[in-house]
Amino acid sequence: QLCAAGHEEHWDIIERVVRNQLIEQQITDASFIPLSKETSSRTFESYPISGDAVLGGFGGWCGVNDFIGNNALSRRLMHCCGPAGVKAIYLAWHNALKWENGTLRINLLFSRRSKYADVINLDPLEGRIEVKAYQDCKMEIRLPDWVDKDSVRLQINARIRECHWHGTRLIVGGVSESQQVIVTYPLRETVISENVGSHVYETRWRGDTVISISPPGKYVPLYQRDRLIKAGRKIVLPEYVP
């Protein structure tokens, strides 16, 4: 709602929240959840409940670096967090691109399909966005606020085009049906210290994605993303020919 009201700087915050803590708090591997010791209950239809029963749910008491947060109730899944987490992911997906009066605006750099265009984003493996248009349109692509604009390269059907900007939006201009737009840029590599309460955490970033955090979690550590470090590859930028 803030972005729709013109405060577009919040797109950067949304992208980082979705790529990081929101995704990390979803249960995609339930092997750490023990089998319930209770054999019967009026709350659920069947017991005992295995961890697989909550696959896809979201932790509501997670810590900065661990799925098991520092709270008196220890492991806890709240009934509100499951649907709220799914809704948050849907809202990000839904608003990642918007079509309005013949203009396609790409707001969040998530890969997705639509009747207007297919978007493929390789961040954090590579600073590269590929968009295949399915309708004639004017196109705008929001890039992260840390991107060096002088290092951005824009191609339409393999031809280098000059970059024009409105804030952090790359104004691609007119694109015809079936044309392919490719935008490349160097990914940032940085370590940022964050103070959370009485603790200090060091987060290692590649692009807008946290690939590791120090100190690591104790019980079910988050941000175990070493594969992203190994998978990253050097970007070769095409020469600019006016």
Side-chain angles (χ1 to χ4, degrees), residues 60-74:
W61 295 78
C62 296
V64 175
N65 61 354
D66 203 307
F67 188 89
I68 308 301
N70 182 20
N71 62 83
L73 298 176
S74 186

Side-chain angles (χ1 to χ4, degrees), residues 152-222:
V152 175
R153 296 293 181 266
L154 167 64
Q155 300 180 64
I156 301 179
N157 276 12
R159 295 187 62 182
I160 301 294
R161 300 295 180 90
E162 187 177 357
C163 293
H164 299 279
W165 298 90
H166 179 73
T168 58
R169 286 189 176 274
L170 176 60
I171 308 302
V172 178
V175 177
S176 300
E177 180 183 351
S178 298
Q179 283 191 320
Q180 185 182 48
V181 176
I182 297 178
V183 179
T184 57
Y185 55 93
L187 289 179
R188 68 169 176 175
E189 298 267 1
T190 187
V191 176
I192 301 176
S193 293
E194 306 280 3
N195 295 313
V196 183
S198 59
H199 299 281
V200 178
Y201 299 92
E202 284 195 345
T203 53
R204 183 177 178 184
W205 295 75
R206 169 172 284 178
D208 269 335
T209 302
V210 175
I211 54 179
S212 64
I213 189 168
S214 180
K218 180 179 179 181
Y219 304 104
V220 185
L222 304 178

Side-chain angles (χ1 to χ4, degrees), residues 108-163:
L108 297 170
L109 303 184
F110 303 140
S111 297
R112 63 157 294 185
R113 291 190 169 202
S114 77
K115 64 181 180 181
Y116 307 112
D118 281 352
V119 180
I120 299 175
N121 180 35
L122 288 104
D123 185 348
L125 301 182
E126 184 178 348
R128 182 182 178 96
I129 305 157
E130 301 176 3
V131 185
K132 183 177 181 180
Y134 291 140
Q135 298 189 32
D136 294 349
C137 65
K138 296 178 181 178
M139 189 180 297
E140 301 176 6
I141 302 175
R142 183 199 64 85
L143 292 180
D145 54 8
W146 44 262
V147 165
D148 177 12
K149 294 179 180 178
D150 292 335
S151 298
V152 175
R153 296 293 181 266
L154 167 64
Q155 300 180 64
I156 301 179
N157 276 12
R159 295 187 62 182
I160 301 294
R161 300 295 180 90
E162 187 177 357
C163 293

